[in-house]
Amino acid sequence: MSVSQLLKAHFNEYLAALAVSSALFMVILCMSWSSPALPKLLAEDSPIPITADDGSWIVAMISIGLTLGPFVTAKAADGIGRKRTLLCAAIPVTTGWLLMAFGNSVGYLYLARFLFGLSSGMVFSVKPLYLGESCSQNIRGSAVVLCDVCSKLAVIVMYGIGPHVEFRTLAWIGMIGPIVFVLSFMWMPESPHFLLSKGKFKEAESSLAWLRRSSNVTKELEAMKEFVQRSKHESGSFWRMFAPAYRKNIRIVWILLFGMSFTGVFMIMAYAQTIFIQISSDIKPSAMSLIFGIIQTLSSALAALTIDRVGRRPLLLFSTGGTTLGLLVICVYFTISTENDAPFLGWMAFIAMLLVVVSFGMGLLVIPPIYDAEVLPIPIRAYTNATSTSIFGLAYFMNMKLFQILTDNVGAYVPFAGYTVAGLITGVLIYIYVPETKGRSLEEIEHMIAKGQVKAVKRASDVELFNG
């Protein structure tokens, strides 16, 4: 099947993915705000004068909200639904931007960033549920990655416009996020899986028919119903995640979570301009940040085009290898760099940074949410996503604080050395434990994991998936 045929056949599913991507756009605007905003706050003419320590706390406060938000979300997602829970995430973001626009002390900034974190935690933990339960198995990967690609436009907006506008104006620009999200996502249907779990069979059929653009969904609906009914016999809870039956599922999700959290790329996003100031080259730090954002978006777009052809495992292994190599070069640069370095050394560090961004964007950034949607059984799906998001929030907080402390007191090479080691460990664990799930139904994936199967057995339909 050609790309145009694929888009035509699954247009509504991709439309739903784009609507969900606006939620990610909303929260990534919040997460990338610190890169252009911190230099303004630390400047002599700062609208809210802060110290370097205040700045590190402003960056890190989002992670506290990110840690707490998912615990409320897990119950809400199974109670009021995936769609309503996602829509509720717009409320803390809107409040946070208003605090940025009108606040006159650092306390307002702390509270705003905490609220941003709450919304981020809600979106990150519910988005995989909605997409995994709404998209067809043969486009699930590309739909999830497409969602992440579109959200990266937020980085381009923030890095491209942020350095050139006033601090208060930047807050009003951020308000674009919740407005676009609510206006686009409010029209989307609820997840068919959730509706079936609540016994709403007519609504589930209507939702599935719209998503598949077909009135003939009886066979798929019956398979979904059987899957949901089977899962209902097992009650879900946070403690249930640690049952022996789910250990292999949890292991896969947390290996990818480790790679996302401890290779330091989210820290690089937050401190982009601050890091680039330390790199000796002819490009302005603000221009470096913009290039950084554009390259990240393009690399994620390339992943969207290839993931359902190449598969998850090859992209993950390529991503981990490239990310680790780039981090190693950056670590070496900060180890040997001096104030009198030749410009070409700065260029090498900048190119290594781009390698990290491209490699991370093609795998470790966009593929873990796909596995969140595919490998977690229904009874623990919402709870595991919530816990994973909270762990990510704690790791984010640790990275933000430790980077500032280690850079100021020892040198930037120390955190980058740690990120390099984390990349090596992640690559080994992915190779040993993470299975290929391309083109498999949720039921088939469940059987693969139970058997400890890493490489999927080829089927005749796999060959014809993108041909014909």
Side-chain angles (χ1 to χ4, degrees):
M1 187 181 290
S2 66
V3 173
S4 60
Q5 290 173 320
L6 199 66
L7 287 171
K8 184 178 179 180
H10 300 281
F11 181 80
N12 286 3
E13 293 172 66
Y14 281 120
L15 191 64
L18 284 173
V20 174
S21 76
S22 63
L24 280 176
F25 178 89
M26 172 180 73
V27 297
I28 290 177
L29 274 178
C30 301
M31 296 184 77
S32 54
W33 166 90
S34 57
S35 180
L38 277 184
K40 300 177 190 295
L41 292 169
L42 291 167
E44 291 184 4
D45 59 346
S46 171
I48 305 175
I50 65 169
T51 65
D53 187 59
D54 290 335
S56 70
W57 275 107
I58 289 170
V59 172
M61 279 301 291
I62 196 171
S63 62
I64 298 176
L66 185 59
T67 302
L68 299 176
F71 288 105
V72 177
T73 306
K75 287 290 185 184
D78 281 345
I80 64 174
R82 284 59 162 132
K83 178 182 174 180
R84 290 178 182 173
T85 304
L86 279 171
L87 286 171
C88 287
I91 299 172
V93 167
T94 304
T95 306
W97 286 124
L98 290 173
L99 289 171
M100 292 273 190
F102 296 108
N104 55 10
S105 70
V106 71
Y108 286 99
L109 301 182
Y110 289 157
L111 180 56
R113 293 284 289 176
F114 173 77
L115 291 172
F116 289 166
L118 282 179
S119 287
S120 300
M122 295 170 74
V123 171
F124 289 151
S125 56
V126 178
K127 178 209 66 165
L129 302 179
Y130 184 86
L131 290 177
E133 295 171 358
S134 301
C135 296
S136 304
Q137 63 195 52
N138 60 325
I139 63 123
R140 192 184 302 123
S142 58
V144 173
V145 176
L146 176 66
C147 181
D148 284 308
V149 171
C150 295
S151 72
K152 296 304 176 292
L153 295 174
V155 178
I156 296 176
V157 169
M158 195 56 72
Y159 286 4
I161 299 175
H164 310 292
V165 300
E166 294 182 356
F167 178 79
R168 306 291 182 185
T169 304
L170 194 57
W172 292 111
I173 291 172
M175 287 289 288
I176 295 170
I179 292 171
V180 170
F181 166 56
V182 171
L183 291 179
S184 60
F185 189 64
M186 62 188 292
W187 311 106
M188 295 299 111
E190 179 57 272
S191 149
H193 273 258
F194 170 78
L195 292 170
L196 286 172
S197 71
K198 297 299 180 182
K200 299 179 179 180
F201 303 116
K202 289 289 185 183
E203 291 92 331
E205 184 177 11
S206 176
S207 172
L208 191 62
W210 185 87
L211 288 164
R212 303 296 185 261
R213 302 186 76 188
S214 171
S215 57
N216 185 22
V217 294
T218 306
K219 185 177 179 181
E220 185 178 1
L221 190 67
E222 287 299 320
M224 277 189 184
K225 189 187 299 184
E226 182 183 343
F227 185 61
V228 169
Q229 289 296 329
R230 191 167 66 248
S231 301
K232 270 190 172 183
H233 296 302
E234 304 177 50
S235 59
S237 69
F238 283 107
W239 294 113
R240 184 68 179 161
M241 292 187 304
F242 302 103
Y246 301 132
R247 283 176 185 167
K248 292 177 181 178
N249 308 74
I250 298 295
R251 182 174 62 194
I252 294 166
V253 171
W254 285 0
I255 285 171
L256 300 179
L257 176 65
F258 176 83
M260 284 184 69
S261 303
F262 292 102
T263 48
V265 180
F266 287 99
M267 179 281 307
I268 294 171
M269 287 175 60
Y271 280 109
Q273 278 194 233
T274 305
I275 294 171
F276 293 144
I277 288 170
Q278 299 180 53
I279 293 177
S280 173
S281 76
D282 301 325
I283 306 179
K284 291 182 179 179
S286 58
M288 285 185 178
S289 297
L290 180 57
I291 294 170
F292 182 89
I294 293 171
I295 292 295
Q296 187 181 68
T297 304
L298 292 176
S299 63
S300 295
L302 183 58
L305 293 173
T306 58
I307 189 167
D308 282 325
R309 295 173 181 267
V310 176
R312 282 73 155 138
R313 264 176 65 86
L315 279 181
L316 276 174
L317 291 170
F318 166 81
S319 172
T320 308
T323 301
T324 304
L325 178 61
L327 290 169
L328 178 62
V329 173
I330 297 166
C331 175
V332 171
Y333 170 79
F334 281 120
T335 302
I336 65 174
S337 65
T338 66
E339 292 182 3
N340 300 317
D341 279 339
F344 83 89
L345 287 176
W347 275 102
M348 285 179 61
F350 180 56
I351 292 170
M353 194 81 77
L354 291 182
L355 174 62
V356 170
V357 171
V358 170
S359 301
F360 191 80
M362 287 190 66
L364 285 172
L365 178 64
V366 294
I367 294 180
I370 300 173
Y371 279 92
D372 291 346
E374 291 180 333
V375 306
L376 296 173
I378 287 178
I380 62 164
R381 192 174 291 167
Y383 299 98
T384 305
N385 276 311
T387 304
S388 297
T389 305
S390 293
I391 292 172
F392 174 75
L394 287 171
Y396 190 89
F397 175 80
M398 207 164 59
N399 276 327
M400 294 302 110
K401 292 301 293 178
L402 278 177
F403 177 80
Q404 187 71 47
I405 294 168
L406 292 172
T407 301
D408 291 346
N409 294 285
V410 185
Y413 69 91
V414 176
F416 278 101
Y419 304 148
T420 304
V421 172
L424 286 169
I425 294 171
T426 301
V428 172
L429 293 176
I430 287 172
Y431 183 80
I432 297 172
Y433 293 116
V434 176
E436 178 58 74
T437 60
K438 180 187 74 171
R440 263 55 193 177
S441 68
L442 298 181
E443 294 86 347
E444 288 175 317
I445 293 169
E446 192 175 278
H447 290 309
M448 281 181 62
I449 294 170
K451 294 177 180 178
Q453 190 178 332
V454 174
K455 295 183 179 180
V457 178
K458 288 187 178 181
R459 304 170 305 185
S461 58
D462 295 338
V463 180
E464 301 171 355
L465 188 57
F466 287 99
N467 298 296

